[in-house]
């Protein structure tokens, strides 16, 4: 089983629609969870963090966490063409002692005009 | 807004040569990381560093790699004898605490020829 699983996409949504991105992870002791956006050739850019079960909203973004199901998601409302990028799910593990982020392969999102 | 800075942005080196990639983490951050991303692949963890020592490293981080915090601001990654397969984007990241948000630098593209 992969440590972090994401649908690679591409996920195509029309402008103004809601984009829904999903992620499952295998490390049960992960305590914190992050979503990063990565444009081609650029570095990961932090867009959301979530630490406890439930929903967390920040502007057009909502992160949802369910630790029992080992599942985290990101909703992007009113999607814009500038949201077109790869979205990386990254749980932060305690295993190994280094608090590393473990990245999934990412979901490519395309927002179409 | 504080940011992680990396130099150089692009480095070309001959196989077998030593390279040093430099990073200046955000000033009040205590945890430092190196990640790499081979073209078309996912972001991979290399090493985490806290309190002037390595706290975790991956299998990729073998004896050819080393990290150092030579002064109060810089954090470096050295590759002693580069191989073709070391060609990748190398990202430095830092976080204030072990489980808080990690911010990435813009990356150094390393090309080994």
């Amino acid at each position: 089983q992969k440590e972090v699983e994401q649908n690679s996409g591409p996920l195509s949504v029309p402008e103004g629609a809601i984009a829904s991105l999903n992620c499952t992870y295998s490390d049960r002791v992960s305590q914190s969870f992050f979503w990063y956006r990565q444009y081609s050739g650029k570095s990961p850019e932090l867009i959301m963090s979530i630490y406890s079960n439930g929903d967390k909203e920040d502007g057009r973004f909502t992160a949802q966490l369910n630790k029992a199901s080992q599942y985290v998601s990101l909703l992007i409302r009113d999607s814009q063409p500038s949201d077109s990028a790869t979205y990386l799910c990254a749980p932060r593990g305690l295993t190994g002692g280094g608090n590393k982020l473990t990245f999934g392969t990412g979901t490519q999102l395309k927002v179409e005009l | 807004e504080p940011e992680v800075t990396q130099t150089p942005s692009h480095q070309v080196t001959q196989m077998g040569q030593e390279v040093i990639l430099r990073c200046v983490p955000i000033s009040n951050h205590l945890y430092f990381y190196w990640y790499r991303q081979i073209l078309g692949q996912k972001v991979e963890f290399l090493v985490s560093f806290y309190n002037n020592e390595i706290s975790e490293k991956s299998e990729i981080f073998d004896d050819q790699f080393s990290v150092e915090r030579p002064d109060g601001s810089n954090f470096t990654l050295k590759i002693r004898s580069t191989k073709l397969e070391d060609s990748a984007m190398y990202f430095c990241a830092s976080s204030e605490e072990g489980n808080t948000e990690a911010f990435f630098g813009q990356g150094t593209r390393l090309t080994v020829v």
Side-chain angles (χ1 to χ4, degrees), chain A residues 3 32 34 36 38 41-44 46 48-49 51 56 88 92 95-105, chain B residues 31 33 35 37 42-45 48 55-56 89 91 95 97-107 109:
Chain A
E3 291 180 279
S32 48
F34 304 90
Y36 287 85
Q38 188 176 33
K42 302 295 185 182
S43 62
L46 179 70
M48 284 289 286
S49 59
Y51 298 88
K56 178 183 177 183
L88 308 175
R92 195 123 189 213
T95 310
N99 306 104
K100 68 180 182 187
L101 292 164
T102 300
F103 286 91
T105 53
Chain B
Y31 292 78
Y33 310 86
Y35 291 81
Q37 187 173 32
K42 67 179 183 178
V43 178
E44 300 176 290
F45 169 76
S48 57
S55 45
E56 187 178 2
M89 279 287 280
F91 298 114
S95 64
E97 299 289 344
N99 68 336
T100 55
E101 299 162 336
F103 297 91
F104 283 73
Q106 80 278 19
R109 180 173 297 284

Side-chain angles (χ1 to χ4, degrees), chain A residues 32-81:
Chain A
S32 48
F33 303 85
F34 304 90
W35 282 97
Y36 287 85
R37 177 173 62 200
Q38 188 176 33
Y39 294 111
S40 181
K42 302 295 185 182
S43 62
E45 175 192 5
L46 179 70
I47 51 173
M48 284 289 286
S49 59
I50 186 164
Y51 298 88
S52 53
N53 284 329
D55 295 359
K56 178 183 177 183
E57 186 175 318
D58 184 0
R60 296 188 295 114
F61 300 99
T62 299
Q64 299 173 316
L65 175 61
N66 183 325
K67 290 184 182 180
S69 301
Q70 295 173 249
Y71 172 85
V72 59
S73 67
L74 180 71
L75 298 177
I76 306 174
R77 287 180 299 282
D78 188 24
S79 295
Q80 301 297 308

Side-chain angles (χ1 to χ4, degrees), chain B residues 73-100:
Chain B
S73 59
N74 290 283
F75 179 51
T76 62
L77 174 70
K78 182 193 291 187
I79 308 175
R80 258 179 275 282
S81 178
T82 51
K83 307 182 187 70
L84 294 175
E85 54 264 37
D86 293 328
S87 296
M89 279 287 280
Y90 287 80
F91 298 114
C92 174
S94 69
S95 64
E96 192 171 352
E97 299 289 344
N99 68 336
T100 55

